[in-house]
């Protein structure tokens, strides 16, 4: 049977979809047809800009509301949803984008205001509306930009002085406007005018003043006055007029914590006064809680980042609010600086603070039923128990269990065993216990509550799992992880896995062993004993019980919505060092002074030793999301990874290697089915690699809004990449000398071993989840070459691929 190509697949999909949607609208068809025939309004088919030498068309397009119908993948004039609307007589698709002259007039005003915000005060914007075909309208915005004005000097009038001699000057000099100094409050600027820059500087001034005691400062306390500089053409002078008001201190603090059951009865109280809690005994911290809250008073007082009697600092006040929120075991009912009103009472020298909190439910159980696709199709179930605030200091204990079952077809199994005739069911199980505290514990407790570390979390994770894989099974994987997590800012985070231990017991599948023995055969010793060939023994070492330890630091930077992924960027970089804990035990405890290269089984439970490897592993992951229209996104991702054994080690643990393929990786290949190099799956003797390079691109565009509660996206994607053996991999295959070279990374050949897959996809985007369907073609199959593999590889996933 001939496999359908991409065009046939898309045509069949569209035909079925049109037929299905049309069946949803059996009524009022004649009325809609008549309405569409009577409607003769002008349709906007082109929107153009002229005269905009300094501002790009793309920027102006985002400003105006006069638009054409949606263009598929931003291809000019290619509007298939509008075409479907015409072909269906208005039953479905996208209605025409009719001309609205009032909208055009509003667009002229928007463009004018935008130019003026950038210093083009002499800009003139007009429009030309022309009918270039019957009922087809072109709207042109004609722009005369004029000169861009520049800011010559900036002066700060009324800025208060401080006890520290240079504090005011150093702060003002750090401003984005400040270049050269004229005097203590006036600076040269010499940069284009920008209303956004003026607003940013205004907010910087307000924040600085509020963090240095001037609590009553508001937006109208700092006003930017702009005047034309008569000594230079197209130049401006800016003066910030500042009225800071008086300085204030923090007053008394009151914190109240209630439980979840009414009525509220604060039956436990505590009062803190004097150092180190307050500056002196005239100030107090009053703590109230219900016994049902099952929390300690110290938990409440430890979150306070300021002391009564200290100079007012608004940033510390807001960070304290975040500290309470980050505990995770309560929510804030109210926080204020006036018990009865919204605004603080600025007639007093001290500003009191009030926090009203309520605990969350202590015990909870949740379950989930999920679908999955890895090698085949499967389902699973999970259950989680959570104990919130275990010991009264906001500790969280979560215990989870899940199991999944996956049906794998004979065609997939045949890739590693040509004699496979029956399907198989792959199983996996996992048990986890996660204990976390909302603070940094030893040895980093000294960083807790310091700027940039106030949201620290220490997490202890214990896990046990087993799973069936295509090439090998994981009989057991016991892991322990001690991790520190810190959100330094809304965009920057750090993760330190100080101790990550894994005890892994794996064994290759029977089909995998059979193929290896058929290939390598056996050796006969001098005494006549028949043993596995040396090469086979080397391969099987990968599947011996192993212990691995890792110290890993990961830095993450992002400014995107992790569900929608429709703007901004995401990046993650990590460095890991592995094997040092087993090495120290081997060299100094089990066999002092002698390096065995393995450890005895824990507690003598087995005669099998535990092998280990020392290695360093680096990875970098960068993703970028560009809005290409109001309903379209272009996304790309680059990934690179490198792992290198050192010391006496020549390989890294099996569970720490790089693998390629899968619905979240290079679509078109199943997990573990790509690489190393151009070695086919049925010839892979050493799974995984030490080097990985990958690049991904995807274009997504909405074509149906709010149908079945979701927005429907059409997608077009392309993935490329592979994995390779590293330079220290010492395996030698006497039966096939070039096998290792075909899998080893070489600068003069790796680009020929880049696998490429691409195809169309469908996304169903609900508010909190995205369901993904991808139809991948192997554009560059490393075994059959470019565009020779016509098979379609279906991928299903939850969430965007990247």
């Amino acid at each position: 049977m001939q496999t359908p190509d991409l065009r046939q697949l898309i045509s069949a999909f569209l035909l079925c979809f049109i037929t299905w949607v049309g069946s949803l609208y059996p009524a009022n068809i004649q009325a809609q047809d008549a309405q569409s025939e009577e409607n003769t309004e002008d349709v906007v088919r082109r929107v153009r800009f002229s005269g905009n030498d300094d501002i790009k068309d793309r920027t102006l397009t985002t400003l105006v509301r006069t638009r054409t119908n949606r263009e598929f993948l931003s291809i000019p004039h290619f509007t298939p949803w509008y075409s479907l609307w015409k072909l269906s007589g208005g039953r479905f698709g996208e209605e025409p984008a009719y001309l609205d002259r009032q909208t055009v007039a509003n667009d002229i005003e928007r463009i004018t205001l935008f130019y003026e915000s950038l210093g083009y005060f002499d800009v003139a914007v007009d429009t030309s509306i022309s009918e270039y075909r019957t009922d087809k309208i072109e709207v042109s915005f004609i722009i005369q930009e004029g000169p861009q004005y520049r800011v010559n000097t900036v002066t700060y009038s009324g800025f208060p002085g401080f006890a520290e001699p240079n504090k005011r000057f150093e702060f003002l000099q750090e401003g984005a406007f400040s270049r050269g100094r004229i005097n203590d409050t006036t600076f040269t600027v010499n940069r284009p005018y920008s209303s956004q820059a003026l607003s940013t500087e205004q907010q910087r001034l307000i924040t600085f003043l509020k963090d240095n005691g001037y609590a009553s400062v508001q937006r109208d306390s700092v006003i930017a006055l702009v005047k034309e500089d008569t000594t230079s053409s197209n130049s401006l002078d800016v003066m910030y007029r500042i009225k800071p008001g008086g300085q204030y201190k923090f007053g008394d603090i009151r914190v109240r914590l209630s439980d979840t059951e009414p009525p509220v009865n604060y039956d436990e109280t505590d009062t803190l006064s004097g150092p180190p809690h307050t500056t002196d005994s005239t100030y107090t911290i009053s703590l109230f809680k219900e016994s049902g809250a099952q929390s300690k008073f110290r938990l409440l007082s430890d979150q306070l980042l300021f002391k009564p009697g200290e100079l007012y600092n608004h940033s510390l006040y807001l960070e304290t609010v975040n500290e309470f929120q980050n505990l995770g075991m309560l929510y804030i009912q109210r926080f204020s600086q006036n018990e009865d009103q919204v605004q603080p009472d600025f007639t007093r020298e001290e500003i009191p603070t009030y926090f009203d909190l309520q605990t969350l439910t202590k015990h909870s159980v949740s379950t989930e039923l999920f679908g999955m696709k890895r090698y085949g199709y499967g389902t699973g179930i999970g259950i989680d128990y959570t104990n919130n605030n275990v010991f009264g200091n906001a500790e969280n204990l979560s215990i989870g269990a899940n199991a999944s079952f996956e049906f794998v077809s004979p065609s997939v199994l045949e890739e590693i065993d040509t004699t496979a005739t029956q399907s198989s069911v792959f199983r996996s199980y996992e048990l986890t216990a996660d204990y976390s505290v909302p603070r940094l514990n030893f040895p980093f407790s000294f960083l807790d509550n310091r700027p940039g570390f106030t949201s620290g979390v220490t997490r202890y994770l214990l896990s046990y799992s087993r799973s069936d894989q295509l090439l090998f099974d994981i009989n057991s994987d016991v892991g322990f992880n001690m991790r520190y997590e810190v959100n330094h800012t809304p965009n920057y985070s750090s993760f330190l896995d100080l101790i990550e231990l894994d005890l892994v017991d794996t064994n290759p599948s029977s089909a995998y062993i059979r193929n290896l023995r058929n290939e390598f055969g056996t050796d006969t010793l001098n005494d006549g004993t028949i043993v596995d060939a040396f090469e086979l023994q080397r391969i099987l070492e990968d599947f011996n019980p192993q212990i691995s330890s890792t110290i890993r630091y990961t830095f993450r930077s992002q400014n995107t919505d992790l569900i929608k992924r429709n703007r901004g960027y995401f990046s993650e970089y990590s460095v890991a060092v592995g094997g040092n804990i087993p090495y120290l035990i081997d060299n100094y405890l089990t066999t002092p002074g002698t390096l065995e290269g393995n450890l005895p089984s824990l507690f003598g439970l087995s005669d099998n030793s535990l092998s280990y490897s020392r290695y360093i592993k680096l990875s970098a992951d960068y993703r970028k999301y560009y809005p290409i229209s109001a309903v379209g996104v272009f996304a790309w991702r680059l990934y690179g990874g490198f792992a290198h054994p050192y010391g006496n080690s020549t390989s890294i643990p099996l569970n720490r290697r790089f693998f390629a393929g899968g619905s979240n990786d290079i679509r078109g290949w199943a997990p573990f089915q790509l690489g190393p190099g151009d070695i086919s799956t049925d010839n892979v003797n050493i799974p995984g690699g030490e080097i990985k390079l990958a690049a991904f691109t995807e274009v997504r565009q909405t074509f149906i809004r709010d149908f079945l509660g979701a927005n429907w996206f059409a997608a077009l994607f392309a993935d490329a990449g592979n994995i390779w053996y590293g330079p220290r991999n010492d395996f030698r295959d006497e039966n096939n000398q070039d096998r290792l070279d075909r899998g080893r990374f070489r600068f003069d050949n790796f680009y020929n071993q880049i696998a490429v897959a691409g195809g169309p996809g469908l996304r169903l985007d609900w508010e909190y989840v995205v369901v993904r369907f991808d139809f991948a073609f192997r554009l560059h199959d490393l075994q059959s070459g470019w565009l020779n593999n016509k098979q379609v590889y279906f991928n299903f996933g939850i969430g965007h691929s990247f």
Side-chain angles (χ1 to χ4, degrees):
M1 183 179 67
Q2 185 178 5
T3 303
D5 61 17
L6 178 60
R7 289 175 297 178
Q8 293 173 328
L9 183 67
I10 295 177
S11 299
F13 173 76
L14 287 176
L15 179 60
C16 294
F17 179 75
I18 292 172
T19 304
W20 172 60
V21 176
S23 68
L24 299 178
Y25 298 87
N28 300 325
I29 292 178
Q30 293 181 351
Q32 291 178 352
D33 288 341
Q35 181 182 4
S36 63
E37 292 175 0
E38 293 173 3
N39 196 339
T40 59
E41 294 185 62
D42 295 331
V43 179
V44 178
R45 296 295 289 162
R46 296 175 184 170
V47 177
R48 294 184 176 180
F49 304 92
S50 63
N52 53 313
D53 298 329
D54 296 339
I55 306 298
K56 295 180 179 180
D57 287 358
R58 177 180 172 184
T59 301
L60 296 177
T61 300
T62 62
L63 296 175
V64 301
R65 299 296 178 263
T66 300
R67 293 176 180 168
T68 64
N69 287 93
R70 285 178 292 163
E71 297 170 338
F72 183 68
L73 303 182
S74 295
I75 300 174
H77 313 311
F78 182 40
T79 54
W81 323 128
Y82 171 48
S83 300
L84 287 174
W85 185 89
K86 291 195 299 183
L87 292 173
S88 66
R91 290 192 293 268
F92 54 89
E94 183 181 35
E95 293 185 2
Y98 295 118
L99 175 67
D100 186 328
R101 295 183 180 274
Q102 182 58 50
T103 301
V104 174
N106 293 339
D107 290 338
I108 293 175
E109 184 176 357
R110 289 190 188 94
I111 295 174
T112 300
L113 292 175
F114 177 74
Y115 267 94
E116 290 177 349
S117 72
L118 296 178
Y120 295 88
F121 295 110
D122 300 329
V123 66
V125 183
D126 202 351
T127 186
S128 172
I129 301 175
S130 60
E131 184 179 41
Y132 67 93
R133 195 181 302 168
T134 304
D135 298 334
K136 301 296 186 294
I137 297 299
E138 176 183 289
V139 178
S140 297
F141 292 96
I142 304 168
I143 303 169
Q144 294 180 354
E145 294 179 330
Q148 185 179 23
Y149 284 69
R150 303 180 68 83
V151 177
N152 186 29
T153 65
V154 59
T155 300
Y156 302 91
S157 173
F159 199 90
F162 296 92
E164 300 87 338
N166 295 324
K167 185 172 184 177
R168 179 177 70 175
F169 170 72
E170 290 174 354
F171 169 75
L172 296 178
Q173 194 176 36
E174 292 173 356
F177 275 118
S178 303
R179 296 287 177 87
R181 173 183 179 183
I182 297 177
N183 55 50
D184 286 353
T185 58
T186 303
F187 300 85
T188 59
V189 179
N190 191 26
R191 59 174 290 174
Y193 172 89
S194 168
S195 62
Q196 180 60 46
L198 263 65
S199 178
T200 300
E201 179 67 3
Q202 178 196 38
Q203 187 57 50
R204 191 180 79 95
L205 294 169
I206 292 173
T207 300
F208 179 80
L209 292 171
K210 290 176 76 71
D211 289 349
N212 284 274
Y214 296 93
S216 62
V217 170
Q218 304 295 327
R219 293 191 66 85
D220 57 1
S221 302
V222 180
I223 298 176
L225 304 176
V226 182
K227 70 174 183 177
E228 190 169 359
D229 186 350
T230 57
T231 63
S232 178
S233 60
N234 306 323
S235 294
L236 304 170
D237 292 321
V238 175
M239 182 180 71
Y240 283 96
R241 188 182 65 193
I242 303 165
K243 296 181 178 180
Q247 273 190 308
Y248 296 84
K249 296 180 180 180
F250 282 113
D252 295 339
I253 300 175
R254 188 193 71 190
V255 183
R256 300 190 300 193
L257 176 65
S258 64
D259 60 26
T260 58
E261 299 296 329
V264 176
N265 177 26
Y266 297 110
D267 52 351
E268 298 182 12
T269 64
D270 192 13
T271 302
L272 306 176
S273 182
H277 307 291
T278 65
T279 57
D280 58 61
S281 59
T282 61
Y283 298 96
T284 60
I285 300 176
S286 302
L287 305 174
F288 302 83
K289 67 183 181 70
E290 292 187 287
S291 56
Q294 301 182 19
S295 300
K296 299 178 181 178
F297 281 122
R298 182 175 178 180
L299 173 66
L300 305 180
S301 60
D302 282 351
Q303 311 313 311
L304 301 174
L305 302 180
F306 56 89
K307 299 178 182 179
E310 288 182 336
L311 189 68
Y312 182 83
N313 186 313
H314 194 66
S315 292
L316 291 181
Y317 168 63
L318 295 180
E319 288 180 18
T320 297
V321 175
N322 291 332
E323 281 283 279
F324 282 117
Q325 291 176 327
N326 292 335
L327 289 176
M329 44 72 64
L330 55 79
Y331 72 91
I332 301 177
Q333 292 181 309
R334 176 177 178 265
F335 63 95
S336 67
Q337 295 174 320
N338 191 319
E339 188 171 17
D340 302 319
Q341 301 177 13
V342 176
Q343 291 293 330
D345 182 4
F346 294 118
T347 62
R348 301 172 55 188
E349 182 181 355
E350 294 91 4
I351 298 178
T353 308
Y354 304 91
F355 297 99
D356 288 337
L357 318 171
Q358 183 177 358
T359 58
L360 299 174
T361 302
K362 186 175 180 65
H363 303 281
S364 62
V365 177
S366 62
T367 60
E368 64 174 344
L369 182 67
F370 56 89
M372 60 178 293
K373 182 184 184 302
R374 192 173 47 158
Y375 312 115
Y377 298 93
T379 186
I381 186 171
I383 182 169
D384 292 281
Y385 162 75
T386 300
N387 187 320
N388 199 10
N389 197 22
V390 181
F391 301 114
N393 279 314
E395 306 92 345
N396 184 282
L397 174 65
S398 179
I399 300 175
N402 66 65
S404 64
F405 305 89
E406 183 179 13
F407 175 82
V408 184
S409 65
S411 62
V412 174
L413 296 175
E414 189 179 0
E415 295 186 22
I416 62 167
D417 183 7
T418 56
T419 64
T421 59
Q422 296 182 345
S423 60
S424 181
V425 175
F426 284 9
R427 297 171 295 273
S428 63
Y429 312 96
E430 184 177 24
L431 298 173
T432 60
D434 186 348
Y435 176 77
S436 63
V437 294
R439 63 192 70 90
L440 296 178
N441 282 351
F442 178 83
F444 302 107
S445 55
F446 70 96
L447 293 173
D448 205 37
N449 290 340
R450 292 197 177 188
F453 291 87
T454 57
S455 64
V457 173
T458 305
R459 191 179 304 277
Y460 306 89
L461 177 65
L462 183 65
S463 65
Y464 169 82
S465 65
R466 74 159 310 277
S467 63
D468 298 331
Q469 310 286 343
L470 195 58
L471 300 175
F472 58 90
D473 294 334
I474 299 177
N475 299 322
S476 64
D477 183 352
V478 180
F480 170 77
N481 191 7
M482 181 178 179
R483 163 177 274 207
Y484 301 87
E485 304 175 359
V486 178
N487 295 322
H488 304 291
T489 70
N491 294 340
Y492 303 122
S493 304
S494 288
F495 306 88
L496 176 63
D497 297 288
L498 185 62
I499 300 176
E500 184 177 88
L501 290 174
D502 268 302
L503 277 73
V504 184
D505 178 20
T506 62
N507 67 278
S509 66
S510 57
Y512 184 59
I513 286 286
R514 184 166 55 252
N515 286 343
L516 290 175
R517 284 188 171 140
N518 289 338
E519 179 177 353
F520 293 104
T522 59
D523 291 335
T524 302
L525 303 180
N526 293 332
D527 61 0
T529 304
I530 298 176
V531 297
D532 289 331
F534 173 77
E535 294 85 357
L536 177 55
Q537 295 180 44
R538 168 63 181 84
I539 295 171
L540 295 180
E541 288 179 4
D542 270 343
F543 301 98
N544 290 335
Q546 296 183 0
I547 180 172
S548 66
S549 70
T550 303
I551 299 175
R552 180 190 302 105
Y553 172 73
T554 302
F555 176 77
R556 181 179 297 167
S557 175
Q558 65 183 49
N559 69 344
T560 187
D561 185 320
L562 293 179
I563 297 178
K564 304 301 182 184
R565 297 184 184 269
N566 54 4
R567 56 169 180 79
Y569 73 94
F570 173 94
S571 63
E572 187 173 278
Y573 311 93
S574 71
V575 55
V577 178
N580 285 335
I581 293 179
Y583 168 78
L584 295 175
I585 296 175
D586 182 10
N587 199 32
Y588 297 103
L589 294 181
T590 59
T591 55
T594 302
L595 196 62
E596 297 288 345
N598 54 66
L599 299 180
S601 174
L602 293 180
F603 311 114
L605 297 178
S606 171
D607 294 332
N608 295 326
S609 60
L610 298 172
S611 62
Y612 68 89
S613 300
R614 300 169 68 196
Y615 63 92
I616 184 171
K617 184 176 182 180
L618 309 172
S619 67
D621 188 349
Y622 187 85
R623 313 174 189 192
K624 185 70 174 179
Y625 308 94
Y626 293 97
I628 55 178
S629 67
V631 292
V633 177
F634 172 69
W636 58 267
R637 175 191 179 195
L638 294 176
Y639 181 89
F642 176 73
H644 187 68
Y646 66 91
N648 294 330
S649 302
T650 58
S651 64
I652 67 173
L654 183 63
N655 63 334
R656 301 302 182 190
R657 296 175 191 169
F658 296 106
F659 292 89
S663 64
N664 291 321
D665 196 70
I666 301 172
R667 289 158 284 189
W669 283 266
F672 308 119
Q673 296 300 286
L674 176 59
D678 60 9
I679 305 175
S680 61
T681 303
D682 55 351
N683 284 322
V684 171
N685 292 332
I686 302 180
E690 291 84 29
I691 297 173
K692 180 174 182 178
L693 296 175
F696 310 84
T697 61
E698 183 168 295
V699 179
R700 305 188 291 266
Q701 176 156 327
T702 307
F703 68 96
I704 299 178
R705 287 186 178 276
D706 197 22
F707 182 65
L708 300 179
N711 291 329
W712 294 48
F713 286 78
L716 191 64
F717 66 89
D719 307 329
N722 206 340
I723 59 172
W724 293 268
Y725 296 132
R728 291 203 67 180
N729 193 311
D730 64 351
F731 174 73
R732 292 292 180 269
D733 184 349
E734 296 180 358
N735 297 328
N736 191 345
Q737 292 292 339
D738 71 336
R739 190 193 306 262
L740 182 62
D741 289 335
R742 288 167 50 202
R744 192 189 296 277
F745 183 89
R746 293 174 51 188
F747 282 101
D748 60 348
N749 190 52
F750 79 94
Y751 47 84
N752 293 320
Q753 298 175 326
I754 298 292
V756 183
L762 178 67
R763 313 283 184 263
L764 275 64
D765 184 353
W766 283 276
E767 185 175 1
Y768 297 109
V769 68
V770 175
V771 177
R772 173 167 47 89
F773 306 91
D774 288 321
F775 305 88
F777 293 83
R778 293 184 182 178
L779 305 179
H780 184 208
D781 190 315
L782 300 181
Q783 279 67 56
S784 60
W786 285 94
L787 304 178
N788 289 326
N789 188 337
K790 305 298 183 182
Q791 183 177 348
V792 180
Y793 297 87
F794 174 69
N795 290 266
F796 169 80
I798 302 297
H800 290 295
S801 176
F802 63 91

